[in-house]
Amino acid sequence: MNNLLKLNKNLLLLILLIITVIFFFIIIFQNFSKVDTSIVERKINKNYDITNPIFTIKNSDGKISVKAKKGNFLSEDEILLEENVVFKSPKFELTSSSVIFNHKNQTATSEYESKFNTNDTIIVSEGFEITDDGNIIFFNGKTSLIMKNNIRNE
């Protein structure tokens, strides 16, 4: 006699139902994991409008070069500069991680930690604003001023 016919039909249906439910859960979780990884990939591989942007602010004292690793156009005049943003002139260097640069008005603002460095002064602040074609720099938020000692032997 066939052993298959001796099995309880209710038990067989229950086992098939459990296997089917497990199969559907596996398919659903695989789809969710694919969506999650694509979201993460989009965040990691963020597209930028400009890579290695370089600009110049011209003022009465000379030129201030502006460099960054990445940039995105916010409007026709404003560009968000990110990663290693450096404003450099013969007199100073100003660095920050993120700056909004307005190339039409020759202004810049940042709300991120910034470091201003000259031969004898360091200023660390929670942001800055450059106005008047680079002639005026306002430091925002909590700001530290460090004066370097210059010892002269005469």
Side-chain angles (χ1 to χ4, degrees):
M1 193 158 158
N2 192 347
N3 287 333
L4 192 56
L5 295 176
K6 291 182 184 179
L7 291 175
N8 187 344
K9 290 181 184 178
N10 289 335
L11 182 62
L12 186 61
L13 283 175
L14 182 64
I15 292 172
L16 285 174
L17 181 65
I18 290 172
I19 291 172
T20 306
V21 169
I22 291 172
F23 178 73
F24 281 117
F25 275 120
I26 290 171
I27 291 175
I28 289 171
F29 285 123
Q30 284 179 345
N31 287 338
F32 280 132
S33 67
K34 287 179 184 175
V35 171
D36 289 342
T37 56
S38 66
I39 291 170
V40 170
E41 286 174 7
R42 271 188 264 139
K43 287 182 181 178
I44 291 172
N45 297 326
K46 187 175 179 182
N47 292 330
Y48 291 93
D49 297 329
I50 310 169
T51 55
N52 299 319
I54 299 173
F55 301 98
T56 302
I57 298 174
K58 297 175 186 174
N59 63 17
S60 58
D61 292 338
K63 295 180 181 179
I64 301 171
S65 68
V66 182
K67 297 180 182 180
K69 287 193 176 183
K70 299 174 182 175
N72 278 318
F73 290 102
L74 299 177
S75 68
E76 188 174 314
D77 298 327
E78 289 186 331
I79 301 167
L80 174 63
L81 302 173
E82 293 182 301
E83 291 189 29
N84 238 6
V85 183
V86 178
F87 291 78
K88 191 170 188 174
S89 80
K91 295 181 180 180
F92 70 86
E93 181 174 292
L94 177 61
T95 59
S96 183
S97 61
S98 180
V99 176
I100 296 175
F101 177 67
N102 186 314
H103 65 89
K104 181 179 180 183
N105 297 334
Q106 300 284 294
T107 61
T109 59
S110 177
E111 295 179 0
Y112 294 89
E113 183 175 307
S114 305
K115 185 176 181 182
F116 177 86
N117 197 357
T118 66
N119 290 334
D120 56 357
T121 306
I122 297 173
I123 300 174
V124 179
S125 69
E126 293 177 346
F128 66 88
E129 182 176 350
I130 296 177
T131 61
D132 192 29
D133 295 329
N135 291 317
I136 298 174
I137 302 174
F138 294 105
F139 295 96
N140 303 325
K142 188 175 180 179
T143 303
S144 300
L145 172 66
I146 302 167
M147 302 293 287
K148 298 176 186 174
N149 291 332
N150 287 335
I151 300 174
R152 294 182 184 175
N153 294 328
E154 296 181 19

